[in-house]
Every structure is written in C-alpha cells, then in structure tokens.
Amino acid sequence: MRGEGAFPVRLRFAERGKVRFISHRDAARAFDRAFRIEALPLALSEGFSPRPKVSFGLALSVGHESIAEYMDVRFSEPVDLEALPARLTAALPEGIEVTGVALLADRAPALQESVTAVEWELEVAKIDESEVSAEEISLRIEALFETKSLPVNRIRKGREDIVDIRPALTRMSVIESGSVGIVLTAEIATQPAARPSEVVTVLGEDLRAVRVLRTAQWIERDGNRQEPLIADAARVSEARAS
Amino acid sequence: MTALWPRIEPLLDRVEKPARYIGMERGAQVPIHRPDAVSWLLVYPDTYEVGLPNQGLQILYEILNERHDAAAERGYAPWTDLEALMRSRSVPFFSLDTHKPAGEFDVIAFGLAAELVYTNVLNCLDLSGVPVRAEARRDEDPIVVAGGHATFNPEPMADFIDAFVIGDGEEVVGDMTEVIGAWKRSGRVGGREAVLHDLSLIMGVYVPSMYEVEYDGMAIREVRPRYPDVPSTVDKRTIADLGEWPYPKNQLVPLIEVVHDRLNVEIFRGCTRGCRFCQAGMITRPVRERPLEQARTMVAEGLKRTGYDEVALTSLSSADFSGIGELVSGIIDGQEEACGNVGVSLPSLRVDAFTVGIASEIQRIRRTGLTFAPEAGSWRLRQVINKLITEEDLYAAVDGAFSQGWRRMKLYFLIGLPTEMDDDTLGIAELAKNVVEIGKRYTKAASCTASVGGFVPKPHTPFQWFGQNSSEELQRKVGMLRDATRKGGVKLSWHDPKATMVEGINSRGDRRIGKVIERVWRSGGVFQEWSEHFKVDRWIEAMAAEGLDIDWYTTRHRTGEEIQPWDHITAGLHKDFLWQDWQSALAEHGLPDCRWTPCYDCGVCTDYAIEHVVASPFAPAGGSQGTGQDLSIGGAVPVRFLSKPGVGVAR
Ligand code: SF4
C-alpha cells in the first residue's frame, strides 16, 4: 500500500536473555502491543478487518538469541525517527531492544526475500560434557569445507527430507573458547538455507549448541553487501549504545 | 534467597513452550523478600496459559505487594515434560517472578476454580518438597492455603490444605498476613497449631484441622470445633463495595498466547438472577456493581497500558450492568484515541433483543459467532432451573442476530437436570434445529452448535440435594441427541460424562474423598481437566480401594435431614431458603430477581448487613429473561448507540 502520507520504516532489534524462549509469533504480538502502547500512527490495511501493515523478516527459532532482527512497518504519518527506538524498547518486553530505524525508500523490496546471508555465533560443546579444544573444532571446520555435499535430515510439514546443506555454508571459523564450549562464527546463505542446529550436526554428532546468536543479516545486490537497515534506506537513525 | 534460574534454564531447550516459565510479563513484580515480611506464593494449579489470566490471583498479587508487611509471587503447574526433568534433577517447584523455590515461601496459596485441578495441588506441593498431608508439616514448612469457588465445599481437600479462604479474598489476605507475620516474628511460638488456631478466628477462614468430623456409618453425625472459640459455622467473607477495590491496576500482559488473552475489567460481582444450578450466582450474592466512572477509567487506562486491542467486561451476566450501554458506547466512541480498533466482549450474554443490540454495536465488522445459554431444552425445565427464557425470546434474539449478519450461533445446555425427561432433552435438538431454520432465511451459511455438559449438583445451591445422572445415563442422552441432530445442520459437542462423574465425586464429597484424591495423584493422575491425561479408571479404582461407593456420592438423592459435608460453611444463604427453592423447582415455579423486586430474604444481605450496589432501579429493557417481571418498565437503560465507524471485533 502506497497511500498518501505513508511513512515506511525498517526496524532493527535485538532479542537476548530469557525472552529468547518466546516464538517469532509472540515477538510479533509484542510489537503489535508496543505500537499501541506508544500510540504510534500505524497505517491499516483496507477491507473488512483492517490490520496494521507490518512485515517481519526471517523467523528466529525459539531459544535462539539475536542482535540482528528486522521488521518493516508502515505508519500513516511521519514519526520522530530519533525517538522511536527508545520509545519502542520501553514498551517491549525486557530483552527486546530496538537498536536502529530507517525510513525506507519507495518501492523497497520485501525484507524476507531480500536477505541473502545470515551470520551466526554458535557456542558448541560435547554432548557427553567431555572437553573439546578450539584446534579440534578448527580441524573439523576445515574438513567440512573440503567435502562436496553435507546431507542432513530435515522434517518439513511432517515429512522427512534429505537436504544438502553444503551449498549454504559460506564461511566458518573459531573465535574463542567460551565459558562452556568453543565459540565459532558461521555465515550461511538463505537460498538454499541451513539451520544452525544442522550446522552443529554436520560439525559432529557428538556436539550440541549451548548458545545460538544471530549476529548479522546481509542483503547482497549487484556484488554489493549491506545490512538491511542501510540497503533500502532513505534515512537511518541508530540508537545510542546502551 | 536461592534463585533457581541457572538450574531451570538448561532444561528449557527441551520442553514445549519454554516461555511458560520465564515470567517477565508487563505488570510482573520483582518483590524483595524481607525476613520480617510474609512471603506468599500464589499458585494456579494448571498450565500457565490457563492460569495466568485468572483475575483473582492477579488481584491478590497486587494487594499483597502493596503491603509493607507482605511480598507475593506467582506460580503455575509445570507441564509434565518439565516436571519429569525437574524431578530427575531435583529442581523444586519454583515461583515465576524470581524463580525462588516454593518451599522457601511462608505461604503457598492455591486458587481452586474447579474440582479437577485438585490432584495438581498435591503434585505442586510434592514438587516443592512440602509434605502433601497437612498433619505431616513441621513449623518451618509453608502454610498451605486455598481459595476460589471450589472451596465452598472444602472437605475433599481438607487433608492437604491448612487454611481455606471462603468468599472474596481482598480483605482476608491482609488479615492472614498480620496473623502469620506476628507468629513468624514471635519465633513461631506455639508452633503450627497456634498459628492455625489464630487463622481460624478470622472471618472467612476455615481451618479444617480445628474441626473433628464424626460419622455414623456413611452419614455425618457431627462436625465439632476443637476449641470453644473456633466458630461452629464459618461465614464467607464479602467485600461490600467493589468500588473500593479497583484491581488489578496493572493487569499482566503475557508474552505467549493464553486463554482470555485481553484486558479484563470486572464490572460487577454477584448475580441474583437465581439460576438454581449456578453455584457462582448463589455464593457471590449480593450484586455489587463497580461505579460506571471507575469502570470507564479502568478500561481506558488498561488499554493504554497493556496495548491490548480487546477488552472483556466481565461478570456473571454482563448485560445486566446498569451502565452497560453507556460503558460500551463510551469505549466505542473512544476509538480515535486508541490506536486502531478495540474489540469489546461481553461474556455470559443474556438471551434477548437488548443483548443482540449491544452485540451488534460492538461486533460491527466481523459477525461470525454469537453464544447464548438457554441451558435447558423446554420451557418446563427452564422453569425448574429458574432460567426463564421463552422460546419466543430465543428465536427473536436469534432472528435479530442472523438478520444483522451473524452466521454461527452457539447454544449452551445442561443435561441431567432435575426432573428432566427425554422430551426435555430432545427439546435441545429441536431448539437448535429451529435456530438453523431461522438462519437459513438469511444465509445459506447459517449454522448452530449445541454444546451440552452433564449437570453436576453444587453445594450451596437449591440443587445440592439432587442425585446427579450416572455417566451411563448421560451417555445415553448424548447418544439420543446425536441421533436427533444427524440431519438439520446442527453440530453437537459434549463434555465427557466420565469427567462429569469425577467432578460429582469431588463437588459434594466429604473428607473421606481426600484419600481418593491422593491415590489418583500417586497413580500419576495429574492435569485431570486435560482429556489427554484424564483416565476415569484411576478414580474408579481409588474409590474402590477406599471402600467408597461412587453412587452414594453422586447419583443418590439426599434428604433434607442429613448433614451435608459443607453444612458448617455458609455463603449466607439460609438452608430453609435453599430447601424452599428446591421445592419450588420441583413445582416448576420461577423466582424473580431481587435486584429489581422486593427482597425474599435468602439470608445474605440480612445476615451480613450488606446490600445490592446497583445503579439502576429498573430491570434492563428488551427481553424477559430471568425474572418474570413486567419488563416494560425497563426503559431506563439506553438501547441505542451512536454509529461510529471502525469498530473492532469481539469474540
Ligand atoms: S437477602 Fe434479599 S436482596 Fe439480598 S440477595 Fe438475598 S433475596 Fe436478594
């Protein structure tokens, strides 16, 4: 909807701590309420039961944290972008924090289709709680990248499929030893995609993810790589570090 | 204080809906537990999604936390997946707000809305490391309290609960805090017996261990207080003026979807329509309305604070509120200020044109379903139960609704009511079919769901003497209705007659049922109101093992002379009033609503020196339901609203 005076905004937010246990849908409802609490002028869809024009990016699984979630929302009139992050953060559940907003350019493509790559920080440990070294994980990563295919079982709509996730893995490396296990970073494409749990599985059936944090999402267009807040922005406003 | 969070957190990756256990809702409190204050853990013994919206618990949570001498947190029964992990790792039952072990609280208080949660109470206590039987508790164990409508017959739970709250909890929790606080600060002088004795002297508190029950075979011979100062009859507690208690002020906004996920504003408490099957109506007399202005403020501020887009105006019959028209139109007119559309829902609608008028104002956009509760299939039987809805009224309401765009009607009925004959039961199918017929005049998509539940006689009602139908008899009636509704566009849904039987055992059970509850719990029977966990065999076996006869407790008609297990508890209703009303029921005589006609002295107002708080001296206009009065005088309540665009959807 391109209505008169429409004010399309992209938000970046973090979801950390206990609140990671809510679902993607729960987070959407929390935003819905936050917009009402702050009495923000949401643009509504036409029709029998008008709905706010809000669209979320990639879903975040229950239990996963993120500092790089995005959503698009359309206001019916201009709002103060500088003040918006703090206002929303105050109205959202503890742990959800709006860290940046951008006025979207006209005709910006939908968030969900635009994102081409996602970066994760994963802390992995042995399931049997035995020690694992950074070197060992590094070696396993090297071995992964030497293979041609990495088949995993994926259950989709109740049906089990075998999917090759090798094409989705673009970059992986160990960062440091964490409090429980080894922290690594992984960059995963979205077409085709791989899930963090699947990445851990191919790294070793003896491993489990202790912590999963989405650290970035990227939109790549014409060889240019940008974070979604910048990619389609007419104007950007970052929240002050808190 | 020990926070259990670090031990709970690693378990949550492995359970369904982990956000049930994190707390942090808007409105949640993080109380500081001072050693000289009394700490309360308020527990709703069912899942988080069912328990969180409970308004009683939320009201007490706020009232206690406002006191300088108390601190209150909340707890909900963990689902079986988490419970198994907790037991295998010795993680005890915990509070949601600070994840503190339940056993470290001074008081664990359970809200008992219905009987099937009883075994969950035992499970929560056991998970807390607190002895499930009251007699085994030591001085340092928490005081175990229970409140809620089910406690009007406390006896089945008497073995497990130290003190029951009978009636409104708003004032009682303060009195109890003072008694328990003084005892705690004294170094628990006199032991548990002393504090329980003191609690039993508070009006509205029943301490079962202060009473001895003597039997004569199966019959109760006498219930005797063990001390001369302990009251022989425990009176319910009633707040005289709802306007003094504008709670909850900060309704909790859950992070996950729950039942009744909306702002709830209680507009009045009590109901004197006098439906004879309805325990809630009988035990909450008299009617106490919230001042219109206060209700308005609670709605406006609540919506602003919570961000909800729906408000329910709650009570036992919301269209009876004197200011209902003004309140509803005010919310609808206030839409511009609110962000987007606000839906209004009115639970428990009356069946009449007035109600359809209100509903059509608040459900302007999407008119899908509307629910009415005629409760019985024939006019004769509706006179017996004093739900005086004429067929003309029902059809007029339904016609009005279909003509204004509704397509689905839901009708609630009870089966197994006193004096019910098969013709009455079949009348349910007849009514529902006629409703579909009426609907077809307006839309092909017209449908009607008839929802039937087996009747369980409740204590403190005129039907407390009635022997309920056996589960076989209820099943036969369900079968009859299924045959009768195979054609005609009626959908039939029904409550499991076996669950009805178990409710009956507990509803009018005595202290001997406690051992049955314990056996069912020990055999793994938790979450009994969830069909996937309910197994009637557990109850049948437990009753047999205790040598108790299910029929004696459920299907037997009781005599006027026998002592009922709850006779030493009173909701203020005179026993001869209840008996007289039972006789009137059998004679098929209705009884008017004392809000708008002279008092017939049921006992409540006269004994407790309280009275109705009702703004309008007239019965509502537009329908006949409930009273048999000349309702033409009821024009004082406005039935028309200003048209406003952009009104939301209500359920
Ligand atoms: S005492 Fe009278 S006015 Fe009060 S509830 Fe009973 S009948 Fe009604």
Side-chain angles (χ1 to χ4, degrees), chain B residues 272 285-286 573 594-595 598-606 610 612:
Chain B
T272 41
R285 291 174 173 217
L573 304 159
C594 56
R595 241 175 307 193
C599 166
Y600 47 76
D601 195 14
C602 71
V604 174
C605 304
T606 31
I610 43 179
H612 289 308

Side-chain angles (χ1 to χ4, degrees), chain B residues 363 366-372 397-398 401-411 432 435-436 439-440 442-450 489 491 649-651:
Chain B
Q363 294 198 347
R366 205 181 56 197
R367 291 181 181 172
T368 47
L370 204 56
T371 303
F372 292 122
V398 163
F402 278 121
S403 75
Q404 292 176 60
W406 270 282
R407 283 172 298 162
R408 285 203 315 262
M409 296 296 135
K410 190 165 189 181
L411 303 178
V435 165
V436 177
K440 291 275 193 237
Y442 298 97
T443 166
K444 269 212 196 89
S447 77
C448 176
T449 303
K491 283 182 217 122
V649 179
R651 244 169 271 140

